[in-house]
Amino acid sequence: MKTHLTLAAAGVALVLGALPAMAQEKPVAGEVKEGSLKGKTLTFVSYGGIYQDGQIAALKEFVDKSGVKLLSDGPTETAKIQAQVESGNVSWDVVDTSDFPPYVYCGKLFQKLDMSKIDTSKIPAGQVGECSVPAMNYGVVLMYNNETYKDNPPKSWADFFDTEKFPGTRAIEGSGDVSGGLLEQAFRLNGGDPKAMKPEDIDGAIQKVRDIGSDTIFWKTGAESQQLAESGEADMIMMWTGRAMAAVKNGAKYTPVWQDWLVVMDQLTIPVGVKDTDAAYALINAYLGKSAQEILTEKTSYTPINNEAQPKVEPAVAAFLTNTPERQKQGYQQNIKFWVDNYEAVNEKWSAVLAGN
Amino acid sequence: MSTSDTRSDSGAASRARRNWGPLALALPALLLLVGVIGYPLFTVVLRSLSQPEWGLQNYIWFFGTPVNLVVLQRTFTISAWVTLVCVVAAYPYAYAMTAVGPKARLLLTLCVLIPFWVSGVVRTLAWVILLQDSGVINSTLRALDLGRLRLIRTQTGVVIGMAQVLLPFMILPLYSVMKGIDLRLVQASRSLGASPLRAFFTVYLPLSLPGVYAGAIIVFILALGFYITPALLGGPRSTMLSTLVQNQVLSLLQWGRGGAMGVVLLLATFILLALAGPLMRQKHKQGARS
């Protein structure tokens, strides 16, 4: 008995002694172990263009230090992830997705993340999902044409929907993905509380969008929205901040309304069935680091998702970053859970709007 | 060695070889079609019947959802308009190609082919610049105080853009038929007292109809599957079926529904062509007789 007890005690002591060592193992965002992934290959998937170039630049230190071979692929398509997961041959290790898919397909296509393997402490509040961490932040703002509204510009999304007080054409995102944020703003017009929105409220909110009238322009790509601003085609445009900034930089005479700008983000995910999960975690953890996020913002002008990041950007870019204290106060976060729970029903109704029926 | 063996074979064998020879020539293309079109098409049909479970649920959903029917009908309407615009625009053009000298013909051919070599996306974006409210056409109209034409984000804009993209598919078959028409037949009808109009309608037009039908079928079928042009030039009211398929498959991962939509479009096209087929053959025969 005694020997057993002493053995047990020794065991407990061993475990206790090991604890501080394990605590030291706790990952720190941006830290990469020298040579830890030598001989391994990771495929990072995103949406291409300067965005993905910036992400790869942000991961350069990770590649150099860990010795991993980093491949770049894309564009992200949930259907392609599904095909890979179902065929059991997953070649995408870390995937940058839009807002909703990691919530809709959490556990099915995307792995539930083990948060002890990544340092999420510097990520802005409320942005870590069960299957995702943010890849960057941006916003959806209301941009109005200075020449149309002169001294009486719109001040809120309510004004966006008010075609009597603010006549003029509106442009709305029509890429196909439902903007829950826009529908929540529509729902608020009649005094509804988006936090308490119910499935039966969706029709009413969509009707508000329809009520804007047949003049409404639905842009399909970010580039199209930018083109609408630069050519002055629409009087008010619902726009992604990156595109808004680019349009203003190119001389579009539009001003953003920041009140209730919609917080949007891309997500980083690990598909179910990747060959080396730990290597994927290491990539994400490096991506979340301060210096990586600074590089990302400097290359892409998207807002970093590490609270300590201090990117050096020109004033035109800084004007559209969404992480300043002032912007954080004005920002509006959509009720992700509600839109995910009702994903299919909303999508069906919204695609009918987009198909002109 | 083996060739000399076959050469010494009996006459029957060589006859058999002659019969199979042409088919063997088609074999590479056939294999390609089976592999690249046949097999994927088979999986599309299979998925439309088996996902998420076996049954007709995807087809029931398709016909039970009003937006699908509206868009299906619209897809055919837009394609028909595009075909009509192409015929009207291509017919005189193709005729001109047969009537002018070799240098001018080369120029006309290049005018058809050069845009054909430019990517459809680029051409469509060029149309955006021309058609938009602040675009070339509307700025000119405004400068002349003529108001503005609603072109972009309307079906008219989509039809214009699609017709331009598809025009070569109409002109080329028309030209190849027209250049084979013996113009002495027209002369003969004129010498027998037909007016120019009558000579055209009773002699030339019927002889050129096979080209019109060939071109129209190609244009119509290609138009049915258009995706980028309606997306960029159109608005909600010119959404075509391919956009809905894309939404089902890529946004909702509903492969079964997307497949069902594709199958419905394919069958509707077959039915339409089957209905139009006899009509075309009949007209064609009449044309040949006259």
Side-chain angles (χ1 to χ4, degrees):
Chain A
M1 274 298 276
K2 249 185 195 171
T3 48
H4 276 249
L5 273 176
T6 43
L7 263 178
V12 168
L14 257 175
V15 169
L16 284 176
L19 269 178
M22 276 170 78
Q24 271 170 12
E25 295 274 304
K26 210 169 170 256
V28 175
E31 267 192 19
V32 183
K33 262 194 234 139
E34 200 75 39
S36 54
L37 299 173
K38 237 188 195 114
K40 292 189 173 173
T41 305
L42 280 171
T43 303
F44 178 78
V45 178
S46 184
Y47 290 93
I50 61 158
Y51 177 48
Q52 194 159 353
D53 291 347
Q55 292 180 306
I56 296 295
L59 287 167
K60 188 173 180 300
E61 195 197 332
F62 165 70
V63 172
D64 291 346
K65 261 196 173 170
S66 70
V68 77
K69 188 176 167 209
L70 187 65
L71 301 177
S72 199
D73 199 2
T76 304
E77 222 44 290
T78 315
K80 284 190 188 159
I81 300 172
Q82 187 192 26
Q84 292 187 13
V85 172
E86 281 177 3
S87 70
N89 184 14
V90 180
S91 60
W92 288 358
D93 297 302
V94 176
V95 183
D96 180 305
T97 75
S98 59
D99 268 69
F100 285 163
Y103 290 95
V104 178
Y105 305 109
C106 188
K108 293 187 196 100
L109 301 181
F110 304 102
Q111 294 193 17
K112 294 197 173 155
L113 296 182
D114 179 351
M115 298 302 171
S116 71
K117 291 186 174 167
I118 37 180
D119 175 9
T120 57
S121 61
K122 306 293 185 296
I123 296 174
Q127 298 200 2
V128 177
E130 210 182 341
C131 284
S132 62
V133 292
M136 51 72 176
N137 273 186
Y138 62 109
V140 173
V141 282
L142 156 51
M143 294 286 284
Y144 65 84
N145 189 329
N146 299 344
E147 278 152 30
T148 313
Y149 298 109
K150 295 196 169 80
D151 298 337
N152 181 32
K155 293 181 186 64
S156 67
W157 285 101
D159 295 343
F160 185 84
F161 287 97
D162 191 341
T163 46
E164 269 174 38
K165 257 166 73 188
F166 298 91
T169 44
R170 309 292 202 265
I172 294 175
E173 177 188 345
S175 65
D177 291 338
V178 183
S179 172
L182 181 79
L183 294 180
E184 287 180 24
Q185 295 298 337
F187 181 57
R188 281 170 78 177
L189 294 175
N190 291 344
D193 173 16
K195 296 278 165 288
M197 206 166 163
K198 292 188 190 66
E200 55 266 32
D201 298 326
I202 295 169
D203 282 334
I206 285 184
Q207 190 53 45
K208 287 279 173 209
V209 177
R210 288 179 187 271
D211 287 346
I212 300 176
S214 57
D215 248 2
T216 311
I217 299 167
F218 289 92
W219 51 262
K220 302 222 169 36
T221 60
E224 202 183 339
S225 72
Q226 188 181 334
Q227 202 272 340
L228 286 171
E230 286 175 21
S231 63
E233 289 268 298
D235 299 306
M236 288 191 213
I237 312 178
M238 168 188 178
M239 229 171 155
W240 297 331
T241 42
R243 291 298 180 170
M245 181 212 66
V248 169
K249 240 174 149 181
N250 286 347
K253 291 183 177 55
Y254 282 71
T255 308
V257 173
W258 283 104
Q259 189 54 49
D260 292 329
W261 64 273
L262 312 170
V263 179
V264 213
M265 67 202 79
D266 268 19
Q267 316 274 18
L268 284 188
T269 60
I270 306 176
V272 169
V274 298
K275 284 168 199 84
D276 192 337
T277 321
D278 282 339
Y281 277 116
L283 185 154
I284 292 179
N285 194 55
Y287 183 96
L288 297 174
K290 177 172 176 288
S291 68
Q293 285 299 306
E294 286 166 353
I295 294 168
L296 179 73
T297 300
E298 284 159 12
K299 299 265 181 199
T300 66
S301 77
Y302 283 111
T303 304
I305 41 80
N306 183 311
N307 286 333
E308 290 171 353
Q310 307 264 325
K312 290 177 201 62
V313 292
E314 53 177 311
V317 173
F320 281 92
L321 289 184
T322 58
N323 60 348
T324 62
E326 193 196 355
R327 296 285 172 260
Q328 287 298 306
K329 254 184 271 159
Q330 296 163 314
Y332 179 85
Q333 219 153 2
Q334 60 187 333
N335 185 349
I336 293 179
K337 189 178 181 310
F338 176 77
W339 297 110
V340 168
D341 288 348
N342 297 287
Y343 189 71
E344 203 172 314
V346 180
N347 204 303
E348 195 116 307
K349 287 172 180 164
W350 186 245
S351 66
V353 174
L354 294 184
N357 188 53
Chain B
M1 274 291 279
S2 62
T3 45
S4 65
D5 282 349
T6 40
R7 235 176 255 156
S8 64
D9 265 357
S10 68
S14 75
R15 257 202 311 283
R17 206 163 59 232
R18 261 206 304 278
N19 289 345
W20 285 104
L23 216 76
L25 290 176
L27 206 61
L30 268 178
L31 283 177
L32 198 69
L33 283 175
V34 168
V36 182
I37 309 274
Y39 176 70
L41 192 61
F42 171 72
T43 57
V44 165
V45 175
L46 194 70
R47 279 180 185 232
S48 76
L49 293 168
S50 68
Q51 284 191 354
E53 55 203 34
W54 284 98
L56 287 172
Q57 72 237 327
N58 294 317
Y59 293 90
I60 292 167
W61 164 83
F62 181 90
F63 289 104
T65 310
V67 65
N68 291 334
L69 302 176
V70 171
V71 172
L72 179 69
Q73 194 217 333
R74 185 192 292 153
T75 303
F76 278 92
T77 313
I78 290 179
S79 301
W81 275 111
V82 170
T83 311
L84 188 71
V85 170
C86 278
V87 171
V88 171
Y91 197 90
Y93 192 96
Y95 177 76
M97 280 171 74
T98 64
V100 295
K103 267 194 188 152
R105 181 179 308 135
L106 184 70
L107 186 74
L108 287 177
T109 313
L110 283 178
C111 286
V112 177
L113 288 180
I114 287 173
F116 198 44
W117 296 330
V118 178
S119 124
V121 180
V122 174
R123 277 186 281 168
T124 304
L125 285 173
W127 277 111
V128 172
I129 294 167
L130 287 170
L131 298 178
Q132 66 188 359
D133 291 341
S134 55
V136 178
I137 295 174
N138 275 312
S139 322
T140 314
L141 288 176
R142 210 170 309 125
L144 299 170
D145 231 4
L146 290 170
R148 95 176 166 143
L149 276 176
R150 287 183 167 275
L151 294 169
I152 194 141
R153 292 179 291 275
T154 64
Q155 281 193 23
T156 317
V158 173
V159 169
I160 293 173
M162 284 173 69
Q164 196 266 329
V165 173
L166 290 169
L167 203 57
F169 294 99
M170 192 77 220
I171 291 177
L172 296 177
L174 255 179
Y175 169 68
S176 72
V177 168
M178 280 178 173
K179 78 171 182 220
I181 295 177
D182 190 343
L183 285 176
R184 285 173 304 178
L185 291 170
V186 181
Q187 284 168 7
S189 74
R190 294 277 286 129
S191 73
L192 291 170
S195 69
L197 269 183
R198 193 178 154 89
F200 171 76
F201 279 108
T202 55
V203 180
Y204 193 84
L205 181 66
L207 287 172
S208 66
L209 279 181
V212 174
Y213 294 144
I217 288 173
I218 297 173
V219 167
F220 184 76
I221 290 177
L222 286 176
L224 287 175
F226 257 50
Y227 174 70
I228 288 172
T229 309
L232 290 178
L233 291 179
R237 260 167 258 272
S238 42
T239 302
M240 290 172 69
L241 202 64
S242 49
T243 307
L244 296 193
V245 175
Q246 188 250 12
N247 182 48
Q248 285 300 328
V249 175
L250 296 187
S251 300
L252 294 172
L253 303 186
Q254 292 274 11
W255 299 78
R257 286 182 179 178
M261 291 166 123
V263 171
V264 169
L265 183 63
L266 191 66
L267 289 180
T269 311
F270 281 155
I271 292 170
L272 206 79
L273 289 179
L275 289 177
L279 196 80
M280 287 180 183
R281 270 195 297 279
Q282 199 184 10
K283 282 237 177 96
H284 178 39
K285 262 180 220 147
Q286 270 172 8
R289 241 181 279 133
S290 61

